[in-house]
């Protein structure tokens, strides 16, 4: 304390440097793990690759889009939750089938088949899809998504790929 | 404090303040150093000591010894010295008064001096109280009996493994090692009852975890299944029942996928020339297929199998195992389905899989070593299967 | 490069004009204090611990669910599966113990140095209140993991609060939200632990710090004082 200005100044600077170093170490040391902590469940990919049995082929009349729904149980955190899926199955012949996801390609509302208009219509923003899945009108950016399928012993299986 | 003393105080304080330092950076620097040390300490404790795992709440577990957090221990211990009818004085009046005195301390303490040497009564009393608190805390820690705790299974693989073990002990006797059911044999009171499988798709798809939990806890007494939950007079706590349900769900329900780290867990594998040991290979098999009946309180000719010692030495017909001589060992004879005059083949309902029998035979043939290290030693001496070889080609 | 610092200065000047940053700097940081020793860091260490508890506590509520069905499993999930969950809960767990310890040591420091006397009586009173609230945080937080330790300690703790004649049983009932420890106990302890007590503490800490800055740090007493 006896020597004044020059000594004091450098001491002040030293303390500032140490202070900001220690502060940043603590900030980053806690901050980065906290970001990871908040984000981590989002990064967990629950990849699924399953063949879902959709019952006998006769359940689906030829030329008539028919809704088939199923649920899968998934583990989210400490909870098992059921996830619902819906698909429209259109049988053209005994071997030629189209399986549409009922999720609108616009903003993921569920589309419905309207018999009178012969169209899939989304109840949210009025997107219209043809029986072929093509966009007829409305804001949807692309045709309805399709699922792979296979037929074994007269039973239809839908290929669900996720993640 | 009168005005004159107040004035004197401020004069003195301002003089010291003038001679003093700047809050920033001098004091801030010290604060930062201490904070940083604390930060490192906390991170270190979190990383290397962690938080002690505890079993979940079980109001029916009367063996649990309740203890408060360490900073309330002194009060907890203090109550031991208060006679019953005055408990409320010790529990609320005395701590309440202590807080009140602390709150009003600046108004109760008329002594104008600040240095401790001029306030010997006050500092003396405080020191005595603090020492008493420390003493009581230490006494409380020393006199607390060790907590008897069951295993705490936290991760999913641990829970499945625990569930498997508990299933083998409590359920396999009637429901079979894999939940296949069938006719019950050798269980008092239920002899000959035929059980449907509990591992079927129907069973798994139509019973929720909660239902399975309730069935295990409460039993199905009309059907002869006793309650297993501690709340209903059984032996199992909630965490243990949950582990059994988890094991059943992840083993028998084809909708749930066993996590990779839990796969192959439990059942040992044995190389062609490897010498099996009790701890590594035999114990998991014994737990899975035998302990259900071969434990205290069951009809088993007093042959118990809950430890290496018991497996080797207990039983009315001991020794059941003759190291190095599988053919004359009762255990091997029975699991190879020979009928003896005092016992039918074991396990009574269903033969063990061949590879399981093989592990038992090779283990007894090698001298029934307990630890993996002993087994390795025997393996080294044999030089790759020259001496007492496996009975199979 | 050359106009960058001046832009920064301009930004600072703009903010200063509106926020009064340099006044804050002068009053809070650039003030003179008597020469003090390392014992005087106990108060700021406590403040640091409180800040750590607030940050880690807020992040724990991202996953923690205060119901008997989910509390244990969600804590277990934080410890087992969430990235750095062990760190966040570990710091919160150990920080709680250190917080109680440091509040107590800070209080002893002030007591032995006679710093609670004129003109800092009010600072002391608020400090004692903060001490009591810290113990309240410890007591309410202890139940939240919903494990055996928590359950039984709270059973005994709420029973102790119910020992006084006449009003005692009512205190126990109010603490538990009914006759027994139940979902109601858990959710009210949760509310006390994350909202009511911390809000009160933050308020009192603000007043406490205001008084410390307004009156100044006490000087280590000498014999002739």
């Amino acid at each position: 304390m006896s020597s004044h200005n020059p000594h004091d100044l450098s001491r002040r600077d030293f303390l500032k440097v140490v202070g900001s170093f220690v502060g940043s170490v603590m900030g980053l040391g806690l901050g980065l793990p906290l970001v990871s902590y908040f984000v981590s469940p989002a990064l967990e990919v629950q990849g699924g690759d399953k063949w879902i049995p959709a019952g006998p082929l006769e359940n689906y009349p030829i030329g008539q889009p028919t809704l088939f729904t199923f649920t899968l149980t998934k583990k989210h955190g400490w909870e098992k939750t059921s996830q619902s899926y819906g698909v429209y199955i259109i049988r053209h012949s005994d071997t030629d089938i189209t399986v549409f996801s009922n999720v609108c390609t616009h903003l993921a509302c569920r589309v419905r088949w309207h018999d009178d208009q012969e169209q899939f219509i989304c109840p949210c923003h009025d997107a219209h899809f043809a029986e072929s899945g093509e966009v007829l009108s409305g804001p949807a950016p692309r045709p309805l998504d399709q699922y792979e399928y296979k037929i074994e012993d007269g039973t239809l299986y839908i290929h669900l790929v996720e993640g | 404090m009168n005005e004159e003393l107040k004035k004197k105080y401020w004069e003195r304080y301002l003089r010291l303040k003038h001679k003093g330092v700047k809050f920033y950076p001098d004091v801030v620097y010290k604060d930062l150093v201490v904070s940083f040390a604390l930060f490192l300490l906390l991170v270190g404790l979190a990383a290397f000591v962690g938080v002690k795992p505890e079993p979940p709440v079980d109001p029916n577990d009367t063996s649990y010894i309740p203890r408060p957090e360490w900073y309330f221990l002194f009060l907890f211990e203090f109550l031991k010295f208060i006679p019953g009818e005055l408990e409320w004085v010790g529990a609320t009046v005395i701590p309440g008064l202590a807080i009140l005195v602390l709150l009003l301390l600046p108004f109760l303490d008329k002594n104008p001096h600040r240095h401790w040497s001029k306030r010997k009564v006050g500092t003396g009393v405080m020191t005595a109280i603090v020492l008493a608190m420390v003493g009581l805390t230490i006494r409380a820690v020393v006199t607390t009996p060790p907590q008897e705790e069951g295993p705490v299974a936290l991760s999913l693989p641990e829970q499945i493994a625990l569930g498997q073990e508990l299933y083998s002990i409590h359920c396999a006797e009637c429901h079979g090692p894999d939940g296949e059911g069938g006719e019950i044999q050798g269980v008092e009171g239920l002899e000959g009852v035929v059980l449907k499988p509990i591992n079927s798709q129907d069973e798994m798809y139509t019973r929720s975890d909660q239902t399975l939990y309730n069935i295990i806890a409460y039993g199905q007494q009309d059907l002869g299944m006793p309650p297993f939950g501690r709340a209903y007079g059984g032996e199992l706590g909630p965490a243990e029942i949950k582990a059994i349900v988890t094991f059943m769900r992840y083993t028998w329900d084809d909708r749930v996928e066993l996590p990779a780290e839990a796969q192959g867990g439990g059942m040992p594998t044995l190389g062609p020339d490897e010498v099996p040991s009790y701890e590594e290979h035999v114990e998991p098999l014994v737990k899975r297929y035998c302990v259900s009946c071969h434990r205290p309180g069951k009809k088993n000719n007093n042959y118990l199998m809950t430890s290496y010692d018991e497996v080797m030495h207990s039983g009315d017909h001991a020794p059941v195992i003759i190291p190095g001589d599988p053919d004359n060992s009762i255990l091997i004879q029975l699991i190879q389905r020979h009928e003896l005059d005092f016992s039918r083949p074991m396990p009574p309902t269903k033969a063990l899989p061949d590879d399981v029998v093989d592990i038992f035979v090779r283990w007894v043939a090698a001298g029934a070593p307990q630890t993996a290290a002993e087994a390795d030693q025997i393996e080294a001496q044999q030089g790759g299967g020259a001496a007492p070889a496996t009975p199979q080609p | 490069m050359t106009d960058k610092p001046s832009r920064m200065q301009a930004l600072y000047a703009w903010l200063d004009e509106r926020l009064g940053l340099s006044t804050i700097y002068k009053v809070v940081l650039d003030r003179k204090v008597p020469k003090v020793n390392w014992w005087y860091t106990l108060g700021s260490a406590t403040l640091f611990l409180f800040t750590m508890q607030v940050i880690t506590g807020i992040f724990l509520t991202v996953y923690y669910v205060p119901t008997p069905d989910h509390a244990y499993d969600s804590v277990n999930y934080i410890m087992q599966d969430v990235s750095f969950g062990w760190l966040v809960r570990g710091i919160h767990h150990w920080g709680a113990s250190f917080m109680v310890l440091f509040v107590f040591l800070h209080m002893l420091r002030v007591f032995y140095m006679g710093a609670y006397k004129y003109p800092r009586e009010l600072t002391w009173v608020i400090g004692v209140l903060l001490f009591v609230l810290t113990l309240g945080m410890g007591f309410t937080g202890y139940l939240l993991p919903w494990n055996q330790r928590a359950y039984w300690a709270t059973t005994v703790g709420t029973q102790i609060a119910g020992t006084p004649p006449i009003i005692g049983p009512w205190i126990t009932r109010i603490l538990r939200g009914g006759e027994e420890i139940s979902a109601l106990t858990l959710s009210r302890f949760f509310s006390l632990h994350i909202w009511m007590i911390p809000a009160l503490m933050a308020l009192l800490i603000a007043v406490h710090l205001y008084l410390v800055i307004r009156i100044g740090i006490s000087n280590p007493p000498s014999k002739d004082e």
Side-chain angles (χ1 to χ4, degrees):
Chain A
M1 282 296 124
S2 50
S3 67
H4 269 308
N5 266 345
H7 176 74
D8 258 14
L9 258 180
S10 66
R11 179 181 134 83
R12 247 187 110 112
D13 286 343
F14 169 74
L15 297 187
K16 272 184 186 171
V17 170
V18 172
S20 32
F21 172 75
V22 167
S24 336
V25 168
M26 288 196 282
L28 289 176
L30 190 61
L32 293 180
L34 284 181
V35 171
S36 171
Y37 173 92
F38 192 80
V39 169
S40 75
L43 301 180
E44 198 173 301
V45 180
Q46 291 204 357
D49 187 339
K50 281 195 177 72
W51 286 97
I52 310 289
L57 213 50
E58 295 86 69
N59 287 4
Y60 303 100
I62 290 185
Q64 170 67 39
T66 311
L67 183 66
F68 168 70
T69 57
F70 57 96
T71 57
L72 286 180
T73 308
K74 287 190 179 173
K75 197 156 186 274
H76 293 120
W78 62 96
E79 272 284 274
K80 289 200 203 79
T81 42
S82 295
Q83 187 78 37
S84 288
Y85 299 81
V87 293
Y88 274 101
I89 295 169
I90 311 172
R91 186 152 74 109
H92 309 294
S93 70
D94 272 356
T95 50
D96 185 17
I97 289 171
T98 314
V99 182
F100 285 118
S101 161
N102 72 343
V103 179
C104 179
T105 53
H106 180 224
L107 289 171
C109 292
R110 301 305 194 247
V111 298
R112 269 173 237 154
W113 174 255
H114 288 251
D115 265 334
D116 46 342
Q117 300 173 53
E118 305 218 318
Q119 286 175 0
F120 294 102
I121 301 174
C122 178
C124 292
H125 305 95
D126 207 32
H128 290 242
F129 301 87
E131 203 185 318
S132 62
E134 292 299 315
V135 182
L136 294 174
S137 65
R142 58 169 202 277
L144 288 173
D145 294 327
Q146 294 191 20
Y147 286 102
E148 272 183 63
Y149 64 92
K150 67 178 178 188
I151 300 159
E152 272 175 16
D153 299 333
T155 303
L156 178 67
Y157 291 87
I158 297 162
H159 196 191
L160 185 72
V161 184
E162 284 181 301
Chain B
M1 201 181 231
N2 59 42
E3 292 306 315
E4 196 192 337
L5 276 170
K6 283 183 183 175
K7 211 175 133 204
K8 256 175 84 183
Y9 172 81
W10 279 113
E11 271 170 13
R12 192 189 153 79
Y13 180 73
L14 291 175
R15 204 168 60 238
L16 283 165
K17 191 166 155 175
H18 188 69
K19 281 199 300 184
V21 292
K22 282 283 176 68
F23 180 72
Y24 176 78
D26 292 74
V27 176
V28 170
Y29 166 72
K30 275 183 181 162
D31 291 346
L32 261 178
V33 169
V34 172
S35 297
F36 188 56
L38 270 173
F39 179 79
L40 293 180
L41 190 62
L42 286 176
V43 172
L45 284 168
F48 300 111
V49 183
V51 183
K52 195 172 166 287
E54 287 279 333
V57 168
D58 179 6
N60 297 300
D61 182 0
T62 47
S63 68
Y64 199 86
I65 302 159
R67 284 291 179 275
E69 191 59 298
W70 65 268
Y71 40 80
F72 288 124
L73 272 179
F74 76 93
L75 198 58
F76 192 84
E77 188 70 11
F78 176 63
L79 293 181
K80 286 188 189 167
F81 298 95
I82 307 285
E85 68 274 19
L86 288 177
E87 201 204 344
W88 63 283
V89 177
T92 47
V93 176
I94 292 175
L97 278 178
I99 296 290
L100 197 67
V101 169
L102 273 181
L103 263 180
L104 300 179
L105 186 64
F107 313 105
L108 299 173
D109 180 5
K110 303 280 187 208
N111 185 341
H113 292 288
R114 286 159 203 260
H115 197 264
W116 64 270
S117 61
K118 303 264 177 77
R119 303 159 45 221
K120 282 189 177 135
V121 176
T123 51
V125 169
M126 182 59 111
T127 308
I129 292 173
V130 172
L131 287 178
M133 284 166 69
V134 173
L136 282 170
T137 307
I138 292 171
R139 203 188 124 99
V141 172
V142 174
T143 56
T144 302
Q147 193 76 258
E148 270 183 48
E149 278 172 43
V152 184
L154 296 174
S155 67
L156 189 57
E158 275 170 15
Q159 281 175 21
I160 295 173
L162 175 68
Q164 160 94 71
E165 193 175 326
L166 291 166
Y167 177 87
S168 301
I169 293 172
H170 296 281
C171 320
E173 213 180 351
C174 296
H175 292 286
D178 299 305
E180 69 276 13
E183 190 181 336
I184 300 177
Q185 285 183 28
V187 181
E188 232 167 302
L190 292 169
E191 195 71 44
V193 173
V194 178
L195 289 185
K196 63 174 176 169
I198 53 168
N199 60 1
S200 66
Q201 199 180 55
D202 271 9
E203 201 80 15
M204 280 295 119
Y205 278 41
T206 56
R207 278 155 180 73
S208 67
D209 285 0
Q210 190 61 51
T211 308
L212 291 173
Y213 180 98
N214 290 341
I215 294 176
I216 298 171
Y218 186 71
Q220 291 195 321
Q221 309 198 25
D222 288 349
L223 300 174
M225 176 170 171
F228 286 88
R230 203 177 276 132
Y232 303 106
E235 295 173 41
L236 301 176
E240 291 164 312
I241 300 179
K242 266 190 186 164
I244 296 178
V245 173
T246 307
F247 157 73
M248 292 168 70
R249 188 64 72 196
Y250 278 91
T251 319
W252 299 332
D253 191 330
D254 55 16
R255 293 171 304 179
V256 297
E257 268 170 42
L258 201 61
E261 63 267 31
Q263 261 157 15
M267 285 308 102
T269 50
L270 191 58
D273 291 325
E274 202 183 339
V275 171
S277 66
Y278 175 77
E279 284 174 1
E280 211 177 325
H281 303 95
V282 176
E283 192 175 12
L285 298 174
V286 166
K287 273 187 177 161
R288 175 138 188 209
Y289 294 106
C290 321
V291 168
S292 184
C293 299
H294 290 280
R295 61 192 171 109
K298 299 280 169 179
K299 222 174 76 185
N300 47 31
N301 286 341
N302 294 317
Y303 181 50
L304 308 180
M305 300 183 79
T306 61
S307 68
Y308 179 75
D309 253 7
E310 286 180 356
V311 168
M312 298 304 290
H313 303 301
S314 72
D316 295 344
H317 306 279
V320 173
I321 290 166
I322 303 165
D325 188 1
D327 292 344
N328 288 313
S329 295
I330 297 170
L331 179 108
I332 302 299
Q333 291 170 352
L334 289 175
I335 63 174
Q336 286 177 337
R337 316 310 292 171
H338 297 294
E339 188 85 30
L340 300 181
D341 28 326
F342 53 82
S343 170
R344 58 191 154 181
M346 286 287 151
T349 43
K350 193 178 154 200
L352 292 177
D354 287 345
D355 52 337
V356 170
V357 175
D358 181 47
I359 291 177
F360 274 104
V361 172
R362 281 164 63 184
W363 173 63
V364 175
Q370 181 176 8
T371 61
E374 286 170 25
D376 288 346
Q377 230 171 8
I378 295 167
E379 200 175 320
Q381 282 165 9
Q382 287 178 353
T390 54
Q392 268 155 10
Chain C
M1 274 306 278
T2 43
D3 67 352
K4 211 174 178 187
S6 69
R7 261 191 205 168
M8 288 299 288
Q9 281 164 0
L11 177 66
Y12 178 80
W14 190 90
L15 287 172
D16 187 30
E17 200 181 343
R18 283 149 186 89
L19 292 169
L21 295 175
S22 50
T23 316
I24 294 177
Y25 175 79
K26 256 180 233 148
V27 173
V28 177
L29 294 173
D30 200 35
R31 65 195 153 102
K32 276 235 158 186
V33 295
K35 282 191 85 174
V36 292
N37 55 36
W38 284 92
W39 290 109
Y40 282 73
T41 59
L42 284 167
S44 61
T46 313
L47 181 64
F48 172 75
L49 287 166
F50 179 77
T51 314
M52 291 290 277
Q53 292 303 91
V54 169
I55 295 172
T56 52
I58 286 173
F59 272 83
L60 283 173
T61 63
V62 174
Y63 300 107
Y64 176 75
V65 178
T67 67
D69 284 351
H70 298 299
Y72 184 82
D73 289 340
S74 61
V75 171
N76 194 9
Y77 174 69
I78 292 171
M79 292 301 283
Q80 296 287 321
D81 295 332
V82 181
S83 147
F84 292 106
W86 57 270
L87 180 67
V88 177
R89 172 146 189 251
I91 291 178
H92 201 74
H93 173 90
W94 288 102
S97 285
F98 278 96
M99 176 109 187
V100 173
L101 185 67
F102 272 70
V103 171
F104 189 65
L105 290 177
H106 178 49
M107 196 174 81
L108 286 184
R109 195 280 289 171
V110 172
F111 176 82
Y112 282 108
M113 291 190 174
Y116 57 88
K117 301 188 177 206
Y118 175 86
R120 300 184 181 83
E121 298 96 328
L122 200 54
T123 323
W124 168 269
V125 170
I126 291 171
V128 174
L129 290 176
L130 281 167
F131 174 58
V132 174
L133 290 175
T134 304
L135 293 178
M137 287 299 278
F139 184 64
T140 50
Y142 205 46
L143 179 68
L144 301 186
W146 201 246
N147 54 31
Q148 283 282 70
R149 237 178 124 75
Y151 179 87
W152 291 104
T154 306
T155 306
V156 176
T158 48
Q159 197 70 41
I160 285 176
T163 45
I166 305 161
I167 54 161
W170 283 102
I171 297 176
T172 302
R173 284 183 71 99
I174 291 168
L175 280 174
R176 291 183 182 171
E179 203 71 51
E180 294 94 16
I181 308 260
S182 67
L184 293 176
T185 323
L186 183 55
S187 66
R188 65 177 48 217
F189 272 43
F190 179 69
S191 172
L192 282 166
H193 188 78
I194 74 156
W195 278 118
M196 301 184 187
I197 304 179
L200 201 54
M201 283 181 84
L203 192 75
L204 290 178
I205 288 173
V207 180
H208 198 74
L209 291 180
Y210 166 75
L211 288 172
V212 168
I213 292 169
R214 185 185 135 77
I215 301 171
I217 302 173
S218 68
N219 54 294
S222 57
K223 269 192 175 177
D224 55 333
E225 207 171 322

